[in-house]
């Protein structure tokens, strides 16, 4: 009985049907016979549709269960082997840190990195071995002082930042990083001839001012005019300082570079040479109106301020007259220190380039570039002597023209090794410094006194320019050891100014 019932149910689900017999639908014309036959057919179709729908539902559920089982097995496999995501792309949170080792915060920086050690440890050891005990102590002191100075460089929300070297610093902004003696030589290679004053105790419009020099018609007296006055428009000790002719004032560095939005009220010191009346920068000038409360010196002079020039990647070594680098720092003669290190600077230089700037020279001799092209590791003994006093392009070991060194008219040409000078005359020895009788083309005219002339002995300057011998206003620079324009050599090879 059970079998019969199951068979009947299965037959119903699968759409089984018994063909109707003629007795069920008599064809003898009995009234209602055709209608009953049609109704039976329609009922049979409905049963078949219902059976199909039920079967499709069973199949879908079966497939869904199979798919869910396969998906579950796949996700379990992904989880087990440490995959970061499931089959549908969702993140497996428990595997996010798989394969990563938690580093003990006490682990030294660069631990296990051979390149880090080579650069930051072994190289420092090599450099320190080159320094005297005095230089090592001085380096440590200056680095400590640098950290202290950086704390002072933020004044009432004004961040001086990198790219600026102080040459005057007063009051709370005093710093050992001041480079006053190099003022003229560094202004000469300044990118935009811009001077910046940052003032801690000034009013808002005067906390950060940019002085843009429009020409080179100035002497070292500009240093005094800025600091102590008289900051005026009269020719003071060979320095002209007329508003909108010799300089403009701006409130931002970007405006100063572009020459836009200059201050509209430029009022120089009108009481010059009256005892106790001289006033310094910016005198009575203001963005729009007269002001007498934010100048460096005067009855209402400010106390905490610093002046900066744009930092260059050129190290001034020896200058004459207008570009002279006089004085001592920490008891050491500044120029003699740098002159003795010219060879070392060249070896460490990014492109092994020296630069000679000459104010009173003409044409291509105003700015000349020397590049040491000998293989790395080959240095020239007493190179400072050959560059400053006795430039001999031939006959010196590792110092042959267009073999061990080349000369160029632009820095970019020197870097790219393009348009190198083609000719050097052989001149009497012990008479001419760089570039002596060299010129771009053989047929170019030789112009007299287009060379430096500084007597050097034992790495020290013995004598400078004498009238009638060489140019007057010159400076020899060496390219710094890296491209960052905020480094200069002093007391160590990697001392940051």
């Amino acid at each position: 009985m059970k079998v019969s019932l199951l068979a009947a149910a299965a037959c119903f689900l699968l759409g089984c049907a018994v063909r109707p017999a003629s007795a069920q639908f008599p064809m003898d014309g009995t009234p209602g016979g055709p209608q009953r036959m049609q109704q039976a057919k329609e009922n049979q179709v409905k049963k078949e549709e219902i059976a199909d729908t039920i079967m499709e539902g069973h199949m879908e559920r079966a497939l869904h269960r199979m798919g869910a089982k396969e998906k579950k097995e796949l996700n379990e496999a992904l989880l087990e082997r440490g995959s970061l995501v499931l089959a549908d792309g969702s993140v497996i949170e428990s595997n996010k840190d798989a394969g990563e080792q938690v580093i003990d915060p006490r682990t030294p920086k660069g631990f296990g990195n051979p390149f880090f050690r080579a650069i930051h440890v072994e190289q420092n050891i090599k450099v320190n071995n080159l320094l005297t005990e005095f230089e090592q102590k001085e380096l440590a002191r200056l680095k400590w002082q640098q950290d202290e100075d950086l704390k002072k460089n933020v004044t009432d929300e004004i961040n001086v930042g990198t790219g600026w070297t102080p040459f005057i610093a007063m009051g709370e902004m005093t710093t050992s990083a001041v480079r006053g003696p190099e003022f003229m030589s560094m202004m000469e290679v300044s990118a935009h001839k811009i001077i910046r004053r940052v003032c801690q105790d000034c009013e808002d419009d005067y906390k950060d001012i940019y002085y843009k020099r429009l020409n080179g018609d100035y002497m070292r007296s500009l240093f005094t005019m800025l600091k102590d006055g008289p900051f005026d428009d009269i020719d003071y000790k060979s320095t002209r300082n007329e508003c909108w002719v010799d300089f403009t004032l701006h409130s931002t560095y970007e405006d100063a570079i572009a020459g836009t939005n200059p201050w509209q009220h430029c009022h120089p010191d009108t009481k010059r040479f009256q005892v106790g009346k001289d006033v310094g920068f910016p005198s009575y000038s203001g963005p729009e109106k007269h002001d007498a409360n934010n100048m460096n010196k005067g009855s209402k002079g400010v106390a905490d301020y610093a002046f900066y020039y744009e930092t260059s990647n050129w190290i001034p070594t020896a200058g004459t007259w207008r570009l002279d680098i006089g004085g001592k720092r920490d008891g050491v003669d500044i120029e003699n220190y740098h002159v003795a290190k010219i060879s070392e600077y060249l070896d460490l230089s990014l492109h092994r380039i020296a630069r000679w700037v000459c104010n009173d020279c003409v044409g291509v001799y105003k700015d000349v570039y020397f590049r040491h092209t000998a293989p790395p590791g080959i240095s020239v003994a007493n190179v400072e002597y050959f560059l400053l006093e006795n430039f001999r392009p031939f006959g010196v070991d590792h110092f042959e023209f267009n073999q061990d060194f080349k000369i160029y008219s632009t820095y970019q040409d020197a870097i790219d090794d393009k348009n190198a000078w083609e000719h050097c005359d052989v001149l009497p020895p012990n008479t001419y410094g760089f570039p002596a009788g060299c010129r771009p083309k053989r047929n170019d005219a030789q112009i007299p006194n287009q060379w430096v002339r500084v007597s050097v002995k034992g790495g020290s300057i013995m004598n400078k320019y004498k009238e009638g011998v060489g140019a007057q206003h010159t400076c020899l620079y060496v390219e710094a050891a890296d491209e960052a324009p905020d480094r200069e050599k002093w007391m160590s090879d990697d001392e940051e100014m």
Side-chain angles (χ1 to χ4, degrees):
M1 182 65 178
K2 292 181 180 179
V3 174
S4 299
L5 290 174
L6 290 173
C11 184
F12 175 79
L13 291 173
L14 295 175
C16 298
V18 179
R19 183 178 296 278
S22 57
Q24 293 175 295
F25 300 103
M27 302 299 292
D28 57 1
T30 303
Q35 290 83 353
R36 290 197 297 273
M37 181 180 289
Q38 181 63 32
Q39 184 65 45
K41 288 182 179 179
E42 291 177 356
N43 291 340
Q44 182 64 28
V45 170
K46 289 181 180 180
K47 288 181 179 180
E48 291 176 354
E49 289 177 352
I50 292 172
D52 289 342
T53 301
I54 293 173
M55 181 58 68
E56 288 176 359
H58 283 300
M59 292 295 293
E60 287 180 0
R61 285 192 292 273
L63 291 173
H64 176 74
R65 285 194 293 271
M66 290 176 63
K69 182 179 180 182
E70 291 178 357
K71 183 177 180 181
K72 180 180 179 182
E73 291 175 351
L74 177 58
N75 284 339
E76 288 176 350
L78 292 173
L79 182 65
E80 184 177 354
R81 68 170 180 245
S83 176
L84 297 180
V85 294
L86 296 174
D88 60 358
S90 57
V91 177
I92 303 175
E93 293 294 330
S94 60
N95 286 353
K96 287 179 65 174
D97 298 325
E100 294 187 8
Q101 181 179 357
V102 179
I103 299 177
D104 191 324
R106 296 169 294 179
T107 302
K109 184 178 180 181
F111 180 78
N113 184 342
F115 297 103
F116 184 94
R117 176 175 176 79
I119 295 171
H120 297 280
V121 180
E122 295 173 4
Q123 181 173 302
N124 285 341
I125 293 174
K126 291 179 181 178
V127 170
N128 287 335
N129 287 338
L130 297 174
L131 303 177
T132 65
E133 182 180 354
F134 168 77
E135 288 174 329
Q136 291 183 36
K137 290 181 179 179
E138 186 65 12
L139 174 61
R141 185 187 69 81
L142 289 176
K143 285 184 175 180
W144 174 85
Q145 185 63 55
Q146 179 188 15
D147 292 338
E148 294 300 307
D149 294 339
L150 287 176
K151 297 175 184 177
K152 295 180 180 180
N153 272 346
V154 179
T155 61
D156 291 351
E157 299 182 356
I158 296 179
N159 186 358
V160 175
T162 59
W164 297 97
T165 299
F167 63 93
I168 298 173
M170 304 298 292
E172 291 297 321
M173 297 193 69
T174 299
T175 167
S176 63
V178 168
R179 294 297 181 261
E182 294 91 342
F183 170 67
M184 290 298 291
S185 61
M186 294 309 293
M187 276 293 291
E188 192 64 30
V189 292
S190 169
H192 306 99
K193 301 294 187 290
I194 292 174
I195 294 172
R196 179 183 185 183
R197 190 195 76 168
V198 175
C199 177
Q200 188 172 12
D201 54 336
C202 287
E203 297 170 6
D204 289 345
D205 285 344
Y206 299 84
K207 285 186 177 296
D208 205 4
I209 308 174
Y210 298 84
Y211 170 101
K212 182 177 183 179
R213 190 71 196 183
L214 302 179
N215 54 50
D217 187 19
Y218 62 93
M219 298 295 285
R220 189 173 292 274
S221 52
L222 177 61
F223 182 102
T224 303
M225 295 171 69
L226 292 168
K227 181 177 182 290
D228 298 323
F231 186 78
D232 62 10
D233 58 0
I234 301 175
D235 190 355
Y236 174 66
K237 294 185 179 180
S238 301
T239 295
R240 290 201 58 81
N241 198 49
E242 184 177 350
C243 294
W244 305 300
V245 175
D246 301 304
F247 74 93
T248 51
L249 298 177
H250 304 264
S251 295
T252 70
Y253 185 45
E254 292 74 18
D255 278 344
I257 292 175
T260 54
N261 301 315
W263 283 17
Q264 297 302 302
H265 187 79
C266 190
H267 190 152
D269 179 8
T270 57
K271 300 178 181 179
R272 72 190 306 264
F273 298 137
Q274 296 184 31
V275 178
K277 297 295 183 180
D278 289 346
V279 297
F281 180 88
S283 189
Y284 301 97
S285 303
E288 297 178 350
K289 61 183 180 179
H290 180 96
D291 178 84
N293 300 318
N294 296 278
M295 58 189 67
N296 297 340
K297 184 179 179 182
S299 59
K300 297 182 180 179
V302 295
D304 307 317
Y305 63 88
F307 282 91
Y308 304 80
Y309 49 69
E310 296 168 294
T311 306
S312 168
N313 66 328
W314 295 103
I315 305 169
T317 61
T320 60
W321 205 331
R322 179 175 178 268
L323 303 181
D324 177 70
I325 311 167
K328 294 185 177 182
R329 182 174 296 121
D330 301 322
V332 179
D333 185 272
I334 297 172
E335 278 193 323
N336 284 339
Y337 176 84
H338 287 305
V339 166
K341 286 183 169 288
I342 288 178
S343 178
E344 181 181 341
Y345 291 167
L346 268 176
D347 288 342
L348 295 173
S349 165
L350 184 65
H351 302 100
R352 304 175 80 192
I353 294 175
R355 177 184 185 182
W356 183 63
V357 174
C358 177
N359 285 166
D360 53 316
C361 290
V362 297
V364 296
Y365 296 100
K366 281 187 168 294
D367 202 1
V368 186
Y369 297 81
F370 166 99
R371 181 169 186 177
H372 192 206
T373 56
I378 295 180
S379 302
V380 181
N382 302 318
V383 67
E384 69 280 356
Y385 167 69
F386 295 118
L387 288 173
L388 294 171
E389 181 176 4
N390 186 22
F391 189 72
R392 298 167 62 186
F394 306 102
V396 178
D397 289 343
H398 309 306
F399 204 72
E400 290 284 328
F401 175 60
N402 277 346
Q403 178 176 323
D404 299 306
F405 72 87
K406 293 183 180 181
I407 303 175
Y408 307 84
S409 296
T410 70
Y411 182 45
Q412 195 60 52
D413 278 349
I415 293 174
D416 298 337
D417 189 20
K418 294 181 179 179
N419 306 312
W421 287 19
E422 299 175 358
H423 183 74
C424 281
D425 288 333
V426 179
L427 301 177
N430 302 314
T431 306
Y432 308 95
F434 181 79
C438 299
R439 48 190 181 273
K441 304 288 184 182
R442 176 184 291 273
N443 295 329
D444 291 345
Q446 176 64 56
I447 305 174
N449 292 326
Q450 304 297 296
W451 49 76
V452 64
R453 181 65 172 146
V454 175
S455 177
V456 179
K457 184 177 181 180
S460 296
I461 296 175
M462 306 302 293
N463 191 19
K464 288 193 176 183
Y465 165 79
K466 292 182 179 179
E467 188 174 356
V469 181
Q472 299 182 44
H473 309 291
T474 71
C475 188
L476 180 70
Y477 304 82
V478 179
E479 181 191 38
D482 56 41
E483 292 181 295
D486 59 349
R487 296 177 68 87
E488 185 175 333
K489 309 295 186 196
W490 177 251
M491 304 310 290
S492 74
D493 294 326
D494 60 352
E495 168 64 14
E496 186 168 319
M497 295 291 285

